[in-house]
Amino acid sequence: MANQTKSIVQQSLDALLEDHSFLPSLKENTRRQAFTSLEAILSTPNHVHKSFLRIPLEDGKVVRIPAYRVQHNNALGPYKGGIRFHESVNEEEVMNLASLMTLKNALHDVPFGGGKGGVVINPRQFSVKELHQICKKYVQYFSDVLGPDKDIPAPDVGSGEREMDWMMAEYKSIRPGEPYRGSFTGKSVINGGSLGRREATGKGVYFTFRYMLHDFIKEQSSLLTTTENIFAKTALEFKERPLKLAVQGFGNVGSVAALEAYQCVHLQNKIVAVSDRNVTLYNEDGLDIPALVQFSSKHNGDLPTTDEELSTIDVKAEIRDRENVLYLDVDVLILAALEDQIHKNNMDKIKARIIVEGANAPVTSEADQSLSKKGVIIIPDILANAGGVIVSYFEWLQGRETQFYSEDQVFKLLVDKMKGTMDTILPEFFGDPFPLRQNCYIHSVMKLSTVLYHQGKLY
Ligand code: GLU
């Protein structure tokens, strides 16, 4: 568990230890012991699996590729979480991401535990045939610990439907006759995936801040105007006025969130900047997001990087360096790239008043504390980007029932689930002095602690 996750879990446990209305049957010494046990259980994964995949390359060489599957906690159900394909993947990162999955699922009442996988490669440097081999080998090496009721992987950075289809097919051939549809989620629709899964994370990201800054503020105006809470004051700055947005990352999460914001015409959002691994595109009057989405889908996920490319799609924008997106004078900054994007060396340059974590862990703990002190609302990863795993859960259910939902049904179920969480968390958030991340963690830790207590795991 990374330090930030660890220290917020610890703070949540400290607060709950003192709150005697929580698990009231635990008293004095027994109570202290139980909370010490909880700290040990929640800060350590159950299992860390590591293998070196043996992959024959097309040029005849054989390479060994490090790969991980971390199973953090399964008190609430089978382990669940994506498999990241990225060259910076390492054991500590996968452990932290697995613990975030445990907290995320607990927060949204998704009946899964937390896990995460990783393969240390840059997928752009491998041929399709080699990637297919890597996926098959991943399943061969880890198949004993995976399964629809054990541990269910899904896409993450660098992986998608194609990889999940390959992996499920390999799982099926390794375990003939056994249930396989729920072994992987995020599959293509033709292969048993759910309608709406691809868009789910980005849609959920947009929904979280739209709901907070529009619906919730409107409905709870009296709560917000009567409290001294600094975050309530920030939220009220946005009451009934159009928002200026910047989106870092134009992959599956960022591009969908940007498109949702663009299409939400009645709110008159203006997306003034988007970025990817090469560039930031900026236009203070707002960017033509559908044209950029179309361009990137035809160019291997990349945004235009030259004036010529922009003119082919008739988009007007200034081309800036890729970091520029972070420092613009905008209301909302959506971070949908990788972790550690805002840190102690650049946190003072951030002007946005609302930060939405579409990626996992994009704000370091120092930056989180400093920005929160200034009243910046950070909608944390475990709240904002849970749309993916929520629809993964619907996919898993549909696979079990072999009964499939329409896209409208999926999005309705998704919004209802996220709205349910927001309605529990937001009144507490605007009523007490903790940042939103801490509120979410307390909620997740309460759920996990109660279940672990009832399962007899604390003594
Ligand atoms: N990788 C996504 C996440 O970090 C989705 C996980 C899943 O669907 O299991 O939440």
Side-chain angles (χ1 to χ4, degrees), residues 55-63 125-127 129-130 133:
I55 307 293
L57 300 181
E58 295 211 56
D59 65 6
K61 266 193 238 115
V62 169
V63 289
Q125 289 169 355
F126 290 83
S127 69
K129 215 167 151 195
E130 289 163 347
Q133 281 302 318

Coordinates of all heavy atoms in Angstrom, one line a residue, residues 55-63 125-127 129-130 133:
I55 N 8.2 -15.2 -23.5 CA 7.5 -14.8 -24.8 C 8.4 -14.9 -26.0 O 9.4 -14.2 -26.0 CB 6.9 -13.4 -24.7 CG1 6.1 -13.2 -23.4 CG2 6.2 -13.0 -25.9 CD1 4.8 -13.9 -23.3
P56 N 8.1 -15.8 -26.9 CA 8.8 -15.8 -28.2 C 8.4 -14.6 -29.1 O 7.3 -14.4 -29.3 CB 8.4 -17.1 -28.9 CG 7.3 -17.7 -28.1 CD 7.0 -16.8 -26.9
L57 N 9.4 -13.8 -29.5 CA 9.1 -12.6 -30.3 C 9.2 -13.0 -31.8 O 9.7 -14.1 -32.1 CB 10.1 -11.5 -30.0 CG 10.2 -11.0 -28.6 CD1 11.2 -9.9 -28.5 CD2 8.8 -10.5 -28.1
E58 N 8.6 -12.2 -32.6 CA 8.6 -12.5 -34.0 C 9.9 -12.6 -34.7 O 10.1 -13.2 -35.7 CB 7.7 -11.5 -34.8 CG 6.2 -11.6 -34.3 CD 5.2 -11.2 -35.3 OE1 5.3 -11.9 -36.4 OE2 4.4 -10.3 -35.1
D59 N 10.9 -11.8 -34.1 CA 12.3 -11.9 -34.7 C 13.0 -13.1 -34.3 O 14.2 -13.2 -34.6 CB 13.0 -10.6 -34.4 CG 13.3 -10.5 -32.9 OD1 13.0 -11.4 -32.1 OD2 13.9 -9.4 -32.5
G60 N 12.4 -14.0 -33.5 CA 13.1 -15.3 -33.2 C 13.6 -15.3 -31.8 O 13.9 -16.3 -31.2
K61 N 13.7 -14.1 -31.2 CA 14.3 -14.0 -29.8 C 13.2 -14.5 -28.8 O 12.0 -14.4 -29.1 CB 14.6 -12.6 -29.4 CG 16.1 -12.2 -29.7 CD 16.3 -10.9 -29.0 CE 16.8 -9.8 -30.0 NZ 16.1 -8.7 -30.3
V62 N 13.6 -14.9 -27.6 CA 12.7 -15.2 -26.5 C 13.0 -14.2 -25.4 O 14.1 -14.0 -25.0 CB 12.8 -16.6 -26.0 CG1 12.1 -16.9 -24.8 CG2 12.4 -17.6 -27.1
V63 N 11.9 -13.6 -24.9 CA 12.2 -12.6 -23.8 C 11.4 -13.1 -22.5 O 10.4 -13.9 -22.7 CB 11.8 -11.2 -24.1 CG1 12.7 -10.6 -25.1 CG2 10.3 -11.1 -24.6
Q125 N 5.1 -1.3 -28.4 CA 6.4 -1.9 -29.0 C 6.2 -3.4 -29.3 O 7.2 -4.0 -29.7 CB 7.5 -1.7 -28.0 CG 7.9 -0.2 -27.9 CD 8.9 0.1 -26.8 OE1 9.2 -0.8 -26.0 NE2 9.3 1.3 -26.7
F126 N 5.0 -3.9 -29.2 CA 4.9 -5.3 -29.6 C 3.9 -5.5 -30.7 O 2.9 -4.7 -30.8 CB 4.4 -6.1 -28.3 CG 5.4 -6.2 -27.3 CD1 5.6 -5.2 -26.4 CD2 6.2 -7.3 -27.2 CE1 6.6 -5.2 -25.4 CE2 7.2 -7.4 -26.2 CZ 7.4 -6.4 -25.3
S127 N 4.1 -6.5 -31.5 CA 3.1 -6.8 -32.6 C 1.8 -7.4 -32.0 O 1.8 -7.8 -30.8 CB 3.7 -7.8 -33.6 OG 3.8 -9.0 -33.0
K129 N 0.5 -10.2 -32.7 CA 0.8 -11.6 -32.5 C 1.5 -11.7 -31.1 O 1.2 -12.6 -30.3 CB 1.7 -12.1 -33.6 CG 1.4 -13.6 -33.9 CD 2.0 -13.9 -35.2 CE 2.3 -15.4 -35.2 NZ 3.3 -15.8 -36.2
E130 N 2.5 -10.9 -30.9 CA 3.2 -10.9 -29.6 C 2.3 -10.6 -28.4 O 2.4 -11.2 -27.3 CB 4.4 -10.0 -29.6 CG 5.5 -10.5 -30.6 CD 6.5 -9.4 -31.0 OE1 6.3 -8.2 -30.8 OE2 7.5 -9.8 -31.6
Q133 N 0.3 -13.5 -27.5 CA 1.1 -14.5 -26.7 C 1.2 -14.0 -25.3 O 1.0 -14.8 -24.4 CB 2.5 -14.5 -27.3 CG 2.6 -15.4 -28.5 CD 2.2 -16.8 -28.3 OE1 2.5 -17.4 -27.3 NE2 1.4 -17.3 -29.2

